[in-house]
Amino acid sequence: MAEPDGWGVLEQAGELARRGEAFALATVVWRQGPSSGKEGCRAIITASGELRGWIGGACAEPTVVREARQALAEGTPRLLLLGTPDQFGAAVPDGMTVVPISCQSEGALEVYIEPVEPAPHLVVVGRSPMATTLVELAATLGWRAERLENPEFTGVTAQSFVVIATQGHNDEESMERALAARPAYLGLVASLRRGQAVLGYLADRGVPAEDLARVQVPAGLDLGRVSHREIAVAILAELVRARAARSAPVAVVTELPEAVDPVCGMTVPAADPVEYEGAEYSFCCSGCRAEFQRDPAVYAKKETRC
């Protein structure tokens, strides 16, 4: 399948965001030729290190992937300047990260990397005015919010927030199905007495006590005597607090250890190594590999291990 172009990458980014998947978006904002990357080239980098799109050749790509995954882990954007160490000198603006690369093209790239965290996903089960208001309020915050009248949780993940607002209409069935989906937050809109009855019924059906302990009953912050629609405000406030409390960097999957290319000095995945005198050496591209193999003794002495 052909790699998507700049606009195609944005379409894929929108689809990932709708599915609630975290990723980083890398964009070339400046180039110095010769370089295979062009201004406006874009790529998506997932937490596992998969790259979709085009950001540059064999020298730039592993560096961008590494920096993008780090940006995802830290949750902060970064502006990279990729080139040979002697190209820029002291003329690098504050806030820009210089990553030396020494590829044969001798080109340079400036790449902006933006981590994109998925919008919170809220599922409200019920048909009351409160349920409708809660979905509307969450949507104004940019959340992916949906209201269901039937307890179907096919799209619920471990990052989702679920509120059961069936208010006496099959509360037990809805709660049991929601527990099976294991969302990040699960609340029941009910009085404390009614909530205890629902949880007691589920306990009698064999639902583990540790699962029932995860249910917030009644859902929402205690704001005293409020209207049904104001209950939606109390619940959303609790959801915002719960989200803030569990906010954490995106889990980045490390598939391979890293090594330093002994020819150009780039940090690269330690894959497909060349062995020399009992040590293994990995490379950013075939050009560096060939250069090393022509005279490995010279470059083996320069190697710097991570």
Side-chain angles (χ1 to χ4, degrees):
M1 183 176 65
E3 289 287 351
D5 59 16
W7 290 112
V9 167
L10 293 181
E11 292 175 357
Q12 288 196 10
E15 179 60 29
L16 287 175
R18 284 188 291 273
R19 294 207 304 260
E21 298 183 27
F23 62 93
L25 181 64
T27 305
V28 176
V29 296
W30 172 84
R31 70 179 288 269
Q32 175 180 293
S35 173
S36 57
K38 309 294 182 183
E39 290 90 342
C41 284
R42 299 184 180 93
I44 292 168
I45 299 93
T46 66
S48 64
E50 178 188 0
L51 184 141
R52 307 175 191 175
W54 178 257
I55 206 71
C59 289
E61 183 175 302
T63 299
V64 170
V65 169
R66 184 184 72 247
E67 294 291 332
R69 296 175 74 196
Q70 189 63 33
L72 270 175
E74 297 175 359
T76 55
R78 58 191 61 194
L79 185 60
L80 307 180
L81 190 55
L82 312 180
T84 57
D86 58 349
Q87 280 179 297
F88 311 113
V92 178
D94 291 340
M96 185 178 293
T97 302
V98 177
V99 182
I101 61 174
S102 302
C103 287
Q104 294 173 337
S105 70
E106 298 184 351
L109 292 175
E110 193 173 307
V111 182
Y112 180 67
I113 298 177
E114 179 182 9
V116 181
E117 296 184 14
H121 179 220
L122 171 64
V123 175
V124 182
V125 183
R127 56 183 181 181
S128 68
M130 188 286 303
T132 300
T133 300
L134 177 56
V135 169
E136 292 172 349
L137 289 174
T140 64
L141 297 182
W143 290 33
R144 295 187 301 123
E146 56 183 315
R147 184 179 65 83
L148 307 176
E149 294 191 9
N150 297 311
E152 300 293 339
F153 297 105
T154 55
V156 171
T157 70
Q159 286 74 45
S160 300
F161 298 83
V162 175
V163 175
I164 304 299
T166 44
Q167 296 180 293
H169 299 282
N170 301 315
D171 293 346
E172 294 83 359
E173 178 187 1
S174 298
M175 181 60 66
E176 189 169 15
R177 291 190 180 184
L179 281 166
R182 304 193 66 80
Y185 170 95
L186 178 55
L188 175 63
V189 180
S191 66
L192 182 59
R193 181 176 179 181
R194 172 59 183 163
Q196 290 174 340
V198 170
L199 297 182
Y201 171 83
L202 295 176
D204 291 341
R205 285 179 56 83
V207 177
E210 58 269 24
D211 288 349
L212 297 176
R214 298 176 56 244
V215 181
Q216 181 65 37
V217 182
L221 302 181
D222 185 2
L223 301 182
R225 295 178 62 86
V226 293
S227 69
H228 285 288
R229 292 185 182 276
E230 289 170 335
I231 291 174
V233 176
I235 295 173
L236 184 58
E238 183 173 74
L239 295 177
V240 170
R241 184 176 66 180
R243 184 198 179 208
R246 66 184 299 273
S247 291
V250 175
V252 173
V253 180
T254 302
E255 298 175 344
L256 291 172
E258 293 182 336
V260 174
D261 185 325
V263 177
C264 68
M266 284 181 57
T267 300
V268 297
D272 192 20
V274 170
E275 185 173 343
Y276 176 71
E277 293 187 345
E280 293 185 340
Y281 302 89
S282 297
F283 306 92
C284 71
C285 62
S286 58
C288 286
R289 176 187 294 270
E291 179 67 22
F292 177 86
Q293 290 175 325
R294 273 194 290 270
D295 193 353
V298 172
Y299 295 104
K301 295 176 182 179
K302 293 171 52 181
E303 183 207 16
T304 302
R305 288 184 170 82
C306 291

